[in-house]
Amino acid sequence: MAISNIRYGEGVTKEIGMDLKNLGARRVCLMTDKNLSKLPPVNAVLNSLAKYGINFQMYDNVRVEPTDQSFIDAIQFARKGGFDAYVAVGGGSVIDTCKAANLYAASPSSEFLDYVNAPIGKGKPVTVPLKPLIAVPTTSGTGSETTGVAIFDFKELKVKTGIASRAIKPTLGIIDPLHTLSMPERIVANSGFDVLCHALESYTALPYNQRSPCPSNPIDRPAYQGSNPISDVWALHALRIVAKYLKRAIRNPEDREARANMHLASAFAGIGFGNAGVHLCHGMSYPISGLVKSYKPKDYNVDHSLVPHGLSVVLTSPAVFAFTAQIHPERHLEAAEILGADIRTARIKDAGLILADTLRKFLFDLNVDDGLAAIGYSKADIPALVKGTLPQERVTKLSPRPQTEEDLSALFEASMKLY
């Protein structure tokens, strides 16, 4: 169980300059994106760096929903800079890019594919020491400040993949709820859906003691262990917060209690799934993002089409949990109850349908696009979507119920329209 160091509280960002001083940092790399570089969270970090005389260089060229090329650009910046510490201020895109930059700068002779997950890359274990990385999340979603995972779009194959190793986990996550106040409505919604799926998927993942074969050496043991008693605690707690606060956080930007709680739920779910793993919603989401045609979401100030990660994950959730509920139906029913379903007269064999209906109602109430068709996909795209899911075995094999290509086709088809 890899545990994350977290500091939480309104305004804790102002301590980051002292943290870097305490680390003895002399050359700091500050990573963010073009939108955030003008907003209060980055400003708060810059003020603290200035106050404590920290020498830094800023890289604000992070791409929202990163690609292999955008990772490589950041890696080149880091390799040239000779940095001894990193600060990432942003959502999952920024934090993941910074993790990759730190890794490859620490391993200058490595090729890009060396650490990328197999079967797309070589999936080599990380054996080099990395520099300290402080992550300051500005969205309430990825939980990237707590995990050893960095995700990107591999353009050539039109599929998302990533790097997964406990070694790239941030040294410290600074969770300052003030930063969530600059998030627009749809970003709150989509990042919240990521928290929802992290919690649901890690709670329903294949149990840790059913995973096999056992790695021949502990260094090869994956970060994603399967559902386990410790992750379960975090996942359920995150789910309860999502049920209570997500709608409030989306509907009212001034609701500081709701936004602060969602910020914390993101980290809670991150600690859960960072050790348990996710399964089909995430495995299927990678081609949904990677094969995007012309969809441009509301509230995202970007110059390229993209399907926000949280949206790509949640659109398949009703179909996925209807499918996985055959295994551990009681967990699916428990999740439905937390999300507001009345299960007093429910039959255990209906657990999947009940959870699927509860999720549909939840998404409908929040004006979520009506399935994959609403973001530009049709039945003709299903073979390509399935093909893009097959290499995601790092997560798909954690599904409690094994799936064939036909099963995946049926799940994509069932996700074309939700309501």
Side-chain angles (χ1 to χ4, degrees):
M1 184 84 193
I3 296 292
S4 314
N5 294 315
I6 287 167
R7 182 180 304 145
Y8 174 81
E10 280 202 6
V12 287
T13 308
K14 63 178 179 285
E15 298 177 351
I16 197 164
M18 279 188 278
D19 288 318
L20 291 161
K21 210 168 179 175
N22 295 341
L23 287 166
R26 305 206 179 288
R27 278 179 70 78
V28 174
C29 173
L30 170 62
M31 285 207 175
T32 188
D33 67 41
K34 290 271 193 280
N35 290 329
L36 275 161
S37 62
K38 309 177 198 69
L39 292 174
V42 170
N43 223 16
V45 170
L46 292 175
N47 288 341
S48 184
L49 298 184
K51 183 176 175 183
Y52 294 98
I54 302 295
N55 171 28
F56 71 93
Q57 271 183 282
M58 180 143 117
Y59 181 84
D60 65 2
N61 226 2
V62 170
R63 185 184 153 122
V64 178
E65 302 296 340
T67 61
D68 46 339
Q69 190 54 54
S70 80
F71 265 22
I72 288 165
D73 293 345
I75 288 164
Q76 282 172 335
F77 180 84
R79 280 178 166 167
K80 282 193 194 115
F83 301 111
D84 57 6
Y86 293 81
V87 175
V89 188
S93 297
V94 173
I95 299 173
D96 286 7
T97 302
C98 198
K99 289 174 185 174
N102 186 9
L103 170 61
Y104 287 92
S107 184
S109 57
S110 292
E111 302 282 321
F112 182 65
L113 287 176
D114 283 357
Y115 295 118
V116 173
N117 299 326
I120 290 166
K122 294 182 186 160
K124 287 185 177 173
V126 177
T127 53
V128 291
L130 272 62
K131 300 288 187 260
L133 190 168
I134 300 179
V136 187
T138 58
T139 63
S140 307
T142 61
S144 182
E145 69 280 3
T146 65
T147 72
V149 176
I151 299 291
F152 64 92
D153 270 307
F154 193 57
K155 276 306 202 202
E156 185 190 339
L157 296 177
K158 288 197 169 168
V159 71
K160 262 190 156 67
T161 182
I163 300 159
S165 165
R166 291 182 187 84
I168 66 173
K169 196 163 53 69
T171 320
L172 173 66
I174 291 189
I175 300 176
D176 184 340
L178 293 179
H179 298 336
T180 63
L181 301 176
S182 39
M183 257 196 302
E185 179 205 345
R186 279 295 105 185
I187 296 184
V188 177
N190 291 326
S191 58
F193 297 147
D194 202 19
V195 181
L196 170 67
C197 289
H198 285 157
L200 286 171
E201 288 172 74
S202 63
Y203 191 58
T204 56
L206 184 74
Y208 76 99
N209 52 4
Q210 291 175 25
R211 265 185 44 249
S212 64
C214 177
S216 55
N217 182 320
I219 198 171
D220 297 320
R221 183 163 284 128
Y224 287 177
Q225 298 286 305
S227 61
N228 61 77
I230 300 178
S231 290
D232 289 350
V233 175
W234 295 94
L236 282 180
H237 191 59
L239 198 56
R240 290 191 178 100
I241 299 177
V242 169
K244 184 173 178 183
Y245 289 112
L246 179 56
K247 287 181 185 175
R248 278 175 49 183
I250 293 168
R251 288 174 180 155
N252 178 7
E254 301 303 306
D255 189 336
R256 290 174 93 133
E257 182 193 353
R259 289 208 164 184
N261 273 285
M262 280 304 302
H263 210 31
L264 214 43
S266 174
F268 287 172
I271 294 170
F273 91 85
N275 288 283
V278 284
H279 56 84
L280 291 177
C281 299
H282 271 74
M284 294 167 66
S285 81
Y286 298 141
I288 294 170
S289 295
L291 295 164
V292 61
K293 298 171 184 178
S294 56
Y295 184 78
K296 284 205 174 146
K298 187 172 160 281
D299 290 347
Y300 287 73
N301 182 12
V302 287
D303 57 3
H304 52 280
S305 51
L306 71 95
V307 182
H309 172 66
L311 180 63
S312 69
V313 168
V314 86
L315 288 175
T316 61
S317 64
V320 163
F321 293 111
F323 173 79
T324 56
Q326 280 187 7
I327 321 284
H328 301 303
E330 65 292 338
R331 287 196 168 213
H332 290 70
L333 212 47
E334 186 182 359
E337 184 177 34
I338 291 170
L339 292 172
D342 180 355
I343 63 164
R344 283 172 302 187
T345 56
R347 295 179 307 188
I348 196 85
K349 69 176 197 317
D350 295 333
L353 297 174
I354 292 167
L355 179 52
D357 282 344
T358 307
L359 286 166
R360 270 192 206 97
K361 182 177 180 311
F362 194 78
L363 299 180
F364 183 75
D365 285 351
L366 292 171
N367 303 324
V368 175
D369 302 78
D370 186 8
L372 298 179
I375 61 169
Y377 289 106
S378 70
K379 271 190 182 170
D381 298 308
I382 291 176
L385 290 164
V386 171
K387 187 174 170 228
T389 307
L390 296 175
Q392 309 299 337
E393 53 202 44
R394 180 178 67 91
V395 292
T396 53
K397 66 170 189 256
L398 286 168
S399 164
R401 182 178 169 190
Q403 63 290 317
T404 61
E405 287 186 41
E406 289 71 27
D407 290 329
L408 290 172
S409 293
L411 290 171
F412 279 117
E413 190 164 341
S415 304
M416 285 293 164
K417 193 165 164 43
L418 292 182
Y419 314 126

